[in-house]
Amino acid sequence: MRKFVIGALALAAGAACAQSQLKPGLWEISHKMQSASGQMEQQMAQAQQQMANMSPEQRKMMEEMMARRGVKMGQGGPGGGMTVKVCMTKEMVERKEMPTNRGECKTTKQSMSGSTMNVAFTCVNPPSSGEGQFTFNSPESYNMKMTVNTQVQGRPETMNMEGSGKWLGSDCGDIKPPRTKP
């Protein structure tokens, strides 16, 4: 699940940054998801509970490891959400490039109308596809809604994701730009 969520958020960040008016640099993408079966929320709640049950030293080590990858899990039960920090270079923004998680996702459709962009995508690992809509509020923020079709434990699952992105600054610090296809 973690791999899927991070991949979807990287795709969301890329879709947002494909709008050339957005600023390059460090972006924070926050989202909450809701699945038809509730299974994804249960898995997220279990992961949060496992973190809560760790010793303070273990929890700190896990949070630091996740932070190095730009990931922070939300607090407070199911639907607590997740936040990912993504570094977008000037070149990526200028090329309207869609970063993907290890090159396993690709954009199949992208269109702009005013300040709204519609995007469709497919991913190989995990097998999934979806559509989303991004509304750009300014060069430093956007909102998004996305529907994703995937499989969870071998069963088809539809997830609805809502989120937002905000520009944190031009310096990405320790967060590296996502790998993109050559």
Side-chain angles (χ1 to χ4, degrees):
M1 181 189 82
R2 181 178 57 87
K3 184 178 178 182
F4 166 76
V5 171
I6 291 170
L9 288 177
L11 186 65
C17 290
Q19 170 66 0
S20 63
Q21 296 175 357
L22 293 182
K23 293 182 174 183
L26 186 62
W27 281 80
E28 179 178 82
I29 293 86
S30 300
H31 89 290
K32 289 188 178 187
M33 64 182 170
Q34 181 179 15
S35 62
S37 70
Q39 195 166 5
M40 295 294 266
E41 294 89 337
Q42 290 172 359
Q43 290 178 353
M44 182 67 79
Q46 288 172 350
Q48 290 171 337
Q49 185 61 46
Q50 289 173 348
M51 290 278 290
N53 291 339
M54 291 179 176
S55 70
E57 296 81 19
Q58 288 173 320
R59 186 172 40 255
K60 182 179 180 198
M61 189 171 69
M62 180 65 77
E63 288 171 349
E64 288 173 352
M65 181 187 72
M66 289 169 52
R68 284 192 299 272
R69 291 183 169 90
V71 178
K72 181 179 179 184
M73 292 177 67
Q75 303 298 315
M82 185 177 282
T83 301
V84 175
K85 290 181 181 173
V86 176
C87 181
M88 292 299 299
T89 66
K90 179 182 177 192
E91 294 77 19
M92 293 167 117
V93 173
E94 287 173 353
R95 287 191 306 256
K96 298 182 181 182
E97 190 171 289
M98 300 290 286
T100 60
N101 189 26
R102 291 180 231 158
E104 297 178 13
C105 294
K106 68 177 182 174
T107 302
T108 57
K109 179 179 84 172
Q110 182 174 317
S111 64
M112 284 293 300
S113 177
S115 63
T116 300
M117 180 173 65
N118 293 299
V119 62
F121 65 92
T122 59
C123 299
V124 175
N125 186 16
S128 54
S129 63
E131 295 183 350
Q133 185 174 68
F134 297 83
T135 303
F136 303 99
N137 307 312
S138 75
E140 297 179 358
S141 76
Y142 67 88
N143 294 317
M144 69 95 156
K145 290 184 179 185
M146 190 176 286
T147 300
V148 180
N149 299 302
T150 189
Q151 292 203 4
V152 176
Q153 296 179 345
R155 286 178 272 202
E157 181 71 79
T158 299
M159 291 188 342
N160 293 308
M161 296 170 61
E162 290 192 28
S164 61
K166 69 179 178 179
W167 185 74
L168 300 177
S170 58
D171 183 5
C172 291
D174 293 339
I175 306 297
K176 303 290 181 218
R179 290 185 228 169
T180 57
K181 289 182 180 181

